[in-house]
Structures are given as structure tokens and as C-alpha cells.
Amino acid sequence: MNLLDPQGPVAAANSTILVDSVFIMLVIVVPTIFAILGFAFWFRASNSKARYRPDFVYSGRVEMVVWAIPALTVILLGGVAWIGSHQLDPAAPVPGTGSPVRIQAVSLDWKWLFIYPDQRIATVNTLTVPAGAELNFQLTSSSVMNTFFIPQLGSMIYTMNGMVTKLNLRADNEGKLKGLSAHFSGDGFPDMMFDVNVVSPLAFPDWVAATAKSDAVLNEDSYRKLMQQGIEKGRPTYRLEDPRLFDLIANQHIPPGPGPELISDAGRPHSGGHDAR
């Protein structure tokens, strides 16, 4: 999950912003460090050439340097952040080759459900995508707020119950990547990770056909069982019975899960207050 080893255009742009920001900040950090060392050396007690000026109050040249460099740093960082945040809008199209792949992601306690409505299949804790294709994600949560993040593809984004967020990505190279939840959501949070398999465009239809032969069926009843709190160690696959399942989840036609439960009085409100959950 190396942020500096991007495998897609969004992650590459994120990496560029990170590197540029570090170098811009070094412009003020490095001279400041050398200035501290230089002042300490020059004004040492044994240096007879250093002038002792206890009445020194103001110098326009010193003020110019002290304020101009930080101001330029802030302007440059602000410009990088402003331009980058608009160019990397999560909902902005990311053109690719072939047909876009629509994926509906649901964060559960504590697992990830990926629904492919056009292919009528679904997977848990594993995401398979074709290299080079535009990936159109729709994301929601079954209970508490969570965060979807594939570091080598970029753009960490929140998932929230009763809401749908959009994210467009692209994976350029075949291989295996890792995704994770980046927002604490209870006891099973450390294990809330998923595999990302980037396959060739020719291999993707074969994977879809093999997955569609799964004996397990994902519908409203099986989803209610899947959304129960627990860590999923396997990588189950499903045939999708109803392609509208994601809409039922996002619109709360299927009631949301309870979320993490308090197991001690340490996290409970005091003074007669009520649990906001």
C-alpha cells in the first residue's frame, strides 16, 4: 500500500501533490535550520567579531525575509491544494479504455460488500477490476460512517448510511493491490481490509462468468445475514438476484445495522444524557 507507488492516474496525481508540497515546505524548513545553526555559531561567546546589540529593535530587511518566505510558501501550497482539489474531484470522469465498470460498495461491520449490478454478481472483501477501464464507484454504509481507500489508486472517500458518494478511479497495471477502511468503526476495524485484483480486459469477462456460477445468491434476506457484525475471513462470491439491492440499502428500505455497541460504561454519556446512536 505504498502511496509513492501509484498504479493509476488519480494516485499518481495525489503522489505528485504530496511530493510537491514537501519540497515547497522544505524551502522554508531547510533555510530555517541552517539559520539557527549559523546564528548559534556566529554569536557564540568566543566570537569577538560578533556585535552585541542589546538595543536592536527593528530591521526592514529582516522583516522582509522573515515574512516574505513564509508568505510565498503559503501561496504556493494554497495554489497546489486549490488546483489539485479541483482536478481530483472524486466524481470527475477518469477516461479509460473499453466500457466503464460500475461498482457499488457497501461498508459493513466489519467487511466490504462489492456489487456489480450490470454483471449481476457480488463479492465480499475482494474487488476485481479490468486494467485500463474507468471504474465508477457508488458507495454507502450499512451502519456507521466509514472510509473507502485504495492507496495505490488514490482518493480516500467516506461512506455514510443513507447517502451515496461517487468516486471514479482507474487501474493502469495488472496486479494485486490492497484496500482498507481508514476510519475507526469498532472492534473489527483492524481486519476491515480487502484485496484488489487488477486483471486484463480479456480476463475480466471470464472472471465474471465464473463468479456468476456461484451457488450463493445475494438478495435482501441473505444481505440481512451478511450485515450482521462479524469479521469475514473468506472471500465469498454471490449471484446478484436483484440489481436494485444497493438502492434499497442506500434508501434505508433495508434498516441500517446497529453499529458498534458499547461494552462498558466508559463511553456512555454522563449527567443523565442519552446515547446519540
Side-chain angles (χ1 to χ4, degrees), residues 90-236:
V94 182
T97 57
S99 300
V101 178
R102 191 158 58 107
I103 304 169
Q104 298 167 333
V106 184
S107 58
L108 307 168
D109 296 329
W110 292 277
K111 57 189 82 74
W112 288 94
L113 171 64
F114 298 104
I115 300 172
Y116 298 75
D118 300 326
Q119 288 77 22
R120 302 291 290 266
I121 58 175
T123 61
V124 174
N125 286 348
T126 182
L127 177 64
T128 301
V129 298
E134 181 177 357
L135 308 177
N136 304 140
F137 286 93
Q138 294 175 289
L139 305 104
T140 191
S141 173
S142 68
S143 59
V144 298
M145 184 169 65
N146 224 299
T147 306
F148 175 87
F149 189 29
I150 306 174
Q152 289 181 275
L153 294 186
S155 289
M156 178 171 61
I157 194 167
Y158 281 102
T159 64
M160 292 166 278
N161 183 254
M163 295 183 62
V164 175
T165 50
K166 295 182 179 180
L167 173 65
N168 293 325
L169 297 174
R170 192 181 79 212
D172 289 336
N173 303 309
E174 298 178 32
K176 292 186 177 182
L177 310 177
K178 272 290 185 181
L180 71 155
S181 165
H183 191 285
F184 182 74
S185 58
D187 294 341
F189 163 75
D191 295 302
M192 199 170 169
M193 305 179 72
F194 58 92
D195 299 324
V196 182
N197 300 311
V198 184
V199 300
S200 70
L202 297 177
F204 183 71
D206 296 335
W207 173 81
V208 170
T211 305
K213 297 178 182 179
S214 173
D215 296 330
V217 177
L218 182 64
N219 51 31
E220 189 170 335
D221 293 333
S222 57
Y223 171 76
R224 290 177 186 272
K225 296 179 180 179
L226 185 64
M227 69 183 293
Q228 295 178 2
Q229 291 182 349
I231 299 172
E232 180 60 61
K233 295 296 185 182
R235 299 291 186 268

